[in-house]
Amino acid sequence: MTAVLTRRSIHTLRDPAPSDREFTYLLKCAAAAPDHGRLRPWRWVLLRDAELEALGARLAADAEPGERARVAQGARRAPLKAVLIFCPLTDHKVPEWEQLAAASSVAYGLMLLLHARGFGSMWRTGRLCRSPAARDLLGVGPAERLLGALDIGTSDSSERPVRRSVGDVADRVRRLGPLAVTGPVA
Ligand SMILES: Cc1cc2nc3c(=O)[nH]c(=O)nc-3n(C[C@H](O)[C@H](O)[C@H](O)COP(=O)(O)O)c2cc1C
């Protein structure tokens, strides 16, 4: 409950970030998420340092001239960028939307585990998902879909995430009710 209620998206992240090994360990745990058919229809590409610069340069090349410096800088917002690539099995009895739901569940579980370990993260989509040059750099295949990336690191102390106030969800829930249960059978 504490991890769920205290996790926030962290915009500014610095070192340390988890090592590749620690990331993979946490991912292994996050992969315990529900996954119809145990298909694991996802893969991750990790970028740090010069790899982030290379991504920034590719994204900037696709941007308007006036935006290029900001876009290139944006790729370096965090010491680790974990790109999530959705690789659904096509023509499978598990429909694609269920596979997408499984991939999203892993990403959220991973964010919670990162948070529980003291790391901050933020799921970003935007320009990365639209850039053909980024797809090329990351080796995203034609049947695959870029779901964005988790920016990962440690929260900058200047950013004090506020604990979320949990909104009411009662209007999103209703009992089916006895009338429907006793109604005529078609
Ligand atoms: C699939 C997905 C994509 C997102 N993409 C972006 C993004 O491109 N830019 C951004 O600022 N936030 C992005 N977010 C983060 C949301 O803005 C953030 O979760 C939301 O503001 C709630 O904040 P919280 O995570 O601190 O509760 C994304 C979140 C999800 C789940």
Side-chain angles (χ1 to χ4, degrees):
M1 188 65 87
T2 301
V4 167
L5 293 181
T6 59
R7 182 212 60 82
R8 297 304 312 263
S9 294
I10 308 294
H11 291 70
T12 312
L13 294 155
R14 55 172 170 74
D15 280 318
S19 64
D20 290 2
R21 190 179 165 152
E22 188 169 12
F23 174 90
T24 307
Y25 172 69
L26 295 178
L27 177 62
K28 177 174 148 178
C29 300
D35 177 355
H36 193 177
R38 300 300 296 157
L39 300 177
R40 298 194 165 177
W42 40 262
R43 62 190 183 89
W44 297 77
V45 180
L46 306 185
L47 291 87
R48 302 174 194 267
D49 303 315
E51 296 153 331
L52 291 172
E53 276 183 28
L55 177 66
R58 298 280 185 120
L59 292 173
D62 280 349
E64 298 294 311
E67 294 267 274
R68 283 185 187 147
R70 189 184 61 79
V71 170
Q73 186 57 31
R76 305 230 35 183
R77 270 196 207 96
L80 171 62
K81 193 179 272 295
V83 178
L84 172 54
I85 299 169
F86 178 48
C87 18
L89 271 74
T90 48
D91 297 325
H92 193 276
K93 72 174 172 115
V94 176
E96 188 172 312
W97 77 264
E98 292 190 25
Q99 299 184 46
L100 185 57
S104 304
S105 301
V106 170
Y108 178 51
L110 181 57
M111 292 178 86
L112 287 178
L113 292 174
L114 286 162
H115 173 57
R117 285 278 166 122
F119 296 113
S121 71
M122 176 146 180
W123 191 340
R124 291 182 187 272
T125 43
R127 200 175 282 275
L128 174 70
C129 295
R130 298 190 300 270
S131 163
R135 284 183 73 91
D136 179 57
L137 177 75
L138 296 163
V140 182
E144 296 183 319
R145 192 160 146 200
L146 249 171
L147 298 186
L150 297 187
D151 279 350
I152 302 170
T154 299
S155 176
D156 196 300
S157 54
S158 63
E159 191 174 343
R160 288 174 195 273
V162 282
R163 192 179 172 125
R164 116 196 24 258
S165 60
V166 182
D168 191 13
V169 295
D171 63 337
R172 303 300 177 111
V173 182
R174 76 171 180 93
R175 278 289 296 275
L176 179 58
L179 282 178
V181 176
T182 57
V185 179

